[in-house]
Amino acid sequence: MSRAYNFSPGPAMLPEPVLRQAQATMLEFGSCGASILEISHRGPDFIAVAQQAEADLRTLLAIPDDYAVIFTAGGATTVQALLPLNFAVAGQACDYVVSGHWGKTALKQAAHCVDARIAASSEAGGFRDVPARAHWRLTPGAAYVHLTANETIHGVEWRDIPEAGTAPLIADFSSSIASEPLDVARFGAIYAGAQKNLGPVGISVLIVRRDLLEREGQPRAPIFDYAAQARAESMLNTPPSWNWYVLGLTVKWMLDEGGVAEFARRNARKAALLYAAIDGSGGYYRNEVAAGARSRMNVPFFLHDPALDKLFLDEAKQAGLVALKGHRVLGGMRASLYNAMPEAGVQALVDFMREFQQAHG
Ligand code: PMP
């Protein structure tokens, strides 16, 4: 079997040691006499897995004790829908700073139960930049300010997340969590679907300051109550136990590799290599994002002639480079460079891009 370099935006490439470990324990987990897929989430074997994953995530991200960590099914979109139900009262203003597709999604998920306002947006410029802090129009008394740390489709990342004022800042870190050191204490809450940097799809993480869990929120089913979820250690119902387990393996792998500071260095080198190849191609390839907002995780780029797109993708695949097709919203190409993507993978991509240009220039 030969595994390609997989540039998928998510579900994304996982570290090979994690996959091998998951494979080994799929059939029989420890001394359980059963697969981890087959054991109770309330038994001691799984409880140990769950607690270790949380402890390791707390270490990896330096999560302060006054923050709860909630593991939840339903994807980041479900978190987006539950934020206003848990942290705002009906009809209350909630400010959304929109720098791409996923910021718009978050706003849409909230709009049915709160006064979700666009505090700032870079849509008029085609989401090629983040909206500068000077142009934010925050609402006094808003329940929170929401932004997307890294826009997975548009390839736009906040390099320095601004202060939001008095309302707690809630940030969608789905596609950049654990890619560099993060000061959790600056945020009211951080959330992420796991399927990019934290592990497999099917589980999301919400890191939330405990005082926000005391907010009354709005009428909601008990299962959608984050305070209750935190009290029950994310086990109000059967959690996605396999996904939680593989997330734990992935977090452990990141710690073993040197933690977020090490990944920040690797990610900076990977992104610099690819952007240099694009910018140095004399216009054959182009990335349209403003220099100060270019994502280190997701790099959208276009060929000078879109008629070559299919050939590029076919030949890339033959060269062992897969999932480079851009999102339908933008077209073109996109390379996602999450923590599991080795530097050799990015080197292989830029080598391929140079050869493709030479052959089809
Ligand atoms: N936010 C961001 C930044 C994303 O990239 C995605 C998915 N790609 C989502 C939210 C939605 O996540 P999910 O599919 O897990 O609901």
Side-chain angles (χ1 to χ4, degrees), residues 9-10 74-78 80 102-103 105 148 150-153 172-175 191 193-196 201 203-204 338:
T77 311
T78 304
Q80 292 174 344
W102 294 108
T105 306
T148 314
N150 179 66
E151 282 285 354
T152 320
I153 295 174
D172 177 355
F173 267 90
S174 290
S175 47
Y191 65 94
Q195 65 267 30
K196 298 144 194 313
V201 67
I203 190 161
S204 303
Y338 302 121

Side-chain angles (χ1 to χ4, degrees), residues 137-285:
R137 294 169 63 93
L138 298 175
T139 313
Y144 56 79
V145 180
H146 179 283
L147 61 74
T148 314
N150 179 66
E151 282 285 354
T152 320
I153 295 174
H154 290 90
V156 170
E157 182 173 20
W158 287 97
R159 298 305 311 137
D160 291 301
I161 295 181
E163 292 300 329
T166 50
L169 185 56
I170 299 185
D172 177 355
F173 267 90
S174 290
S175 47
S176 58
I177 195 160
S179 65
E180 64 183 345
L182 167 72
D183 182 5
V184 175
R186 288 197 49 210
F187 299 87
I190 283 169
Y191 65 94
Q195 65 267 30
K196 298 144 194 313
N197 253 348
L198 288 183
V201 67
I203 190 161
S204 303
V205 170
L206 172 70
I207 300 162
V208 52
R209 214 173 56 215
R210 291 186 200 276
D211 64 292
L212 287 182
L213 293 173
E214 286 161 20
R215 289 192 177 180
E216 190 180 337
Q218 308 183 37
R220 57 201 182 275
I223 193 70
F224 296 146
D225 185 335
Y226 282 138
Q229 227 18 302
R231 280 195 300 276
E233 300 190 329
S234 307
M235 294 210 200
L236 277 180
N237 67 335
T238 319
S241 51
W242 169 259
N243 315 59
W244 198 332
Y245 167 63
V246 181
L247 179 149
L249 294 180
T250 311
V251 170
K252 176 77 171 50
W253 172 80
M254 289 192 268
L255 286 172
D256 291 346
E257 290 288 305
V260 290
E262 172 58 18
F263 282 104
R265 288 189 285 272
R266 292 184 196 176
N267 291 331
R269 287 196 297 265
K270 289 187 294 183
L273 185 61
L274 181 50
Y275 283 116
I278 294 167
D279 295 343
S281 69
Y284 193 85
Y285 303 106

